[in-house]
């Protein structure tokens, strides 16, 4: 026991408590630093991670969030995807294209928008050799995409973008040099666009053509331990197994306590 000025004893517990409190504060600062270092050095930096790292160390609990994102559509499978999402009351985000392969399905963009999902920009041609030849070529492609989809959605209002291959792809270096993605990301911001990658990959559009069960396993593997999941799925004529897996994907995230939202809703929640 120690004694204060008046000679009364002060429980040693208080000192232990103060020392432990100090240690906890130091530990929290170290964890905070490590957290930011990890995300600063991740190979897939994006808006989403930045937003998560900014809130994860705060006082309030971060809700578990999942954004289902469908790239490369619309396609012949879009109506089935929309039916499942409607039945399950799940909002999603569609990063659309306007290439030859899906030209006949572009009018389905109106259905996607009417159902309350988010439409976002991906690419008109989706041909890396074309779009990543130069920054001008990239923005010309985005302009073409907006023109192609403008009959079905207010294309000027679309402010979210996903770079084909992701923001850290290296395929682009072959065509536009090693600095092209960095320049495109800076230009996207100058144009008032948000861009986002993914942190959960269904691997549903790979050459191995995984079945529905494998797609769900891929997702569970990547989602494990994450409070915020941005899931990369595809909406093309080749990804029928994705449609088959979708009800189970939704059920799994629901069981794990996740809330479904669009990419822009997630951004609003985190800011
Ligand atoms: Zn794509």
């Amino acid at each position: 026991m120690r004694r204060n000025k008046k000679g009364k004893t002060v429980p040693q517990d208080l000192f232990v408590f103060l020392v432990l409190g100090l240690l906890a504060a130091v530990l929290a600062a170290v964890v905070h630093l490590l957290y930011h270092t990890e995300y600063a050095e991740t190979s897939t930096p994006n808006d989403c991670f930045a937003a998560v790292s900014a809130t994860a160390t705060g006082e309030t609990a971060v809700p578990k969030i999942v954004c289902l994102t469908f790239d490369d559509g619309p396609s012949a499978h879009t109506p089935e995807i929309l039916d499942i999402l409607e039945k399950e009351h799940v909002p999603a985000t569609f990063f659309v294209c306007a290439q030859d392969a899906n030209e006949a399905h572009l009018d389905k963009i109106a259905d996607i928008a009417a159902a309350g999902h988010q439409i976002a920009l991906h690419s008109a041609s989706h041909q890396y050799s074309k779009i990543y030849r130069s920054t001008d070529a990239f923005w010309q492609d985005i302009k073409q995409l907006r023109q192609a989809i403008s009959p079905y959605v207010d294309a000027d209002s679309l402010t979210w973008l996903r770079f084909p291959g992701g923001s850290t792809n290296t395929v682009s270096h072959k065509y536009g040099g090693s600095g092209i993605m960095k320049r495109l990301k800076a230009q996207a911001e100058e144009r008032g666009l948000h861009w986002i990658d993914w942190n959960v990959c269904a691997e549903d559009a790979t050459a191995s053509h995984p079945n529905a069960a494998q797609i769900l396993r891929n997702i569970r593997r990547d989602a494990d331990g994450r409070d915020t999941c941005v899931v990369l799925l595809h909406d093309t004529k080749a990804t029928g197994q994705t449609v088959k897996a979708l009800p189970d994907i939704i059920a799994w995230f629901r069981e794990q306590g996740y809330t479904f939202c669009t990419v822009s809703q997630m951004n609003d929640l985190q800011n």
Side-chain angles (χ1 to χ4, degrees):
M1 292 292 217
R2 297 173 187 230
R3 287 174 189 278
N4 66 11
K5 276 189 284 187
K6 290 178 182 169
K8 287 183 182 164
T9 57
V10 179
Q12 248 177 351
D13 284 359
L14 182 62
F15 289 96
V16 172
F17 183 76
L18 284 173
V19 168
L20 282 179
L22 190 67
L23 280 174
V26 170
L27 189 66
V30 170
V31 167
H32 184 92
L33 188 69
L34 286 176
Y35 198 90
H36 282 268
T37 305
E38 182 194 344
Y39 283 107
E41 290 173 0
T42 178
S43 61
T44 54
N46 62 40
D47 287 5
C48 164
F49 290 127
V52 172
S53 63
T55 52
T57 52
E59 292 285 312
T60 49
V62 182
K64 285 169 84 173
I65 291 171
V66 58
C67 298
L68 299 182
T69 68
F70 294 89
D71 284 17
D72 302 355
S75 77
H77 289 301
T78 307
E80 294 167 84
I81 293 172
L82 290 179
D83 284 349
I84 296 167
L85 295 175
E86 187 185 1
K87 190 168 163 246
E88 300 290 341
H89 303 286
V90 165
T93 307
F94 291 76
F95 289 89
V96 299
C97 287
Q99 30 182 354
D100 293 346
N102 66 331
E103 207 179 357
H105 304 286
L106 284 185
D107 58 346
K108 297 185 174 81
I109 288 177
D111 302 330
I112 299 171
H117 303 294
Q118 182 183 349
I119 310 279
L121 304 164
H122 195 36
S123 176
S125 76
H126 209 291
Q127 287 179 35
Y128 292 2
S129 60
K130 270 190 180 178
I131 62 175
Y132 290 136
R133 205 175 32 169
S134 67
T135 55
D136 282 351
F138 182 85
W139 295 116
Q140 184 60 34
D141 174 85
I142 292 294
K143 190 177 169 190
Q144 282 170 9
L145 174 64
R146 287 193 198 267
Q147 281 167 355
I149 65 178
S150 62
Y152 315 109
V153 66
D154 178 7
D156 289 337
S157 70
L158 307 181
T159 57
W160 281 87
L161 167 72
R162 174 173 283 156
F163 294 105
S167 70
T168 55
N169 80 78
T170 50
V171 183
S172 58
H173 299 180
K174 193 161 66 170
Y175 309 108
S178 62
I180 186 150
M181 295 315 299
K182 195 180 171 190
R183 289 199 298 278
L184 285 175
K185 284 184 265 189
Q187 289 172 359
E189 276 157 41
E190 284 161 20
R191 288 166 179 253
L193 291 171
H194 305 278
W195 55 269
I196 187 162
D197 289 325
W198 57 88
N199 59 6
V200 175
C201 190
E203 291 175 37
D204 58 339
T206 55
S208 62
H209 296 294
N211 64 20
Q214 185 61 50
I215 289 169
L216 179 62
R217 277 199 296 277
N218 293 340
I219 289 172
R220 289 177 58 160
R221 176 202 61 208
D222 284 0
D224 186 39
R226 293 187 189 277
D227 285 340
T228 302
C229 294
V230 179
V231 186
L232 173 61
L233 300 150
H234 289 85
D235 173 15
T236 74
K237 73 171 181 190
T239 51
Q241 289 298 311
T242 305
V243 180
K244 208 174 162 195
L246 190 54
D248 291 337
I249 294 169
I250 292 170
W252 184 77
F253 277 108
R254 202 159 259 156
E255 278 163 24
Q256 304 299 310
Y258 287 87
T259 300
F260 294 87
C261 62
T262 66
V263 164
S264 76
Q265 285 168 343
M266 176 183 71
N267 191 56
D268 291 346
L269 275 172
Q270 291 175 330
N271 288 303

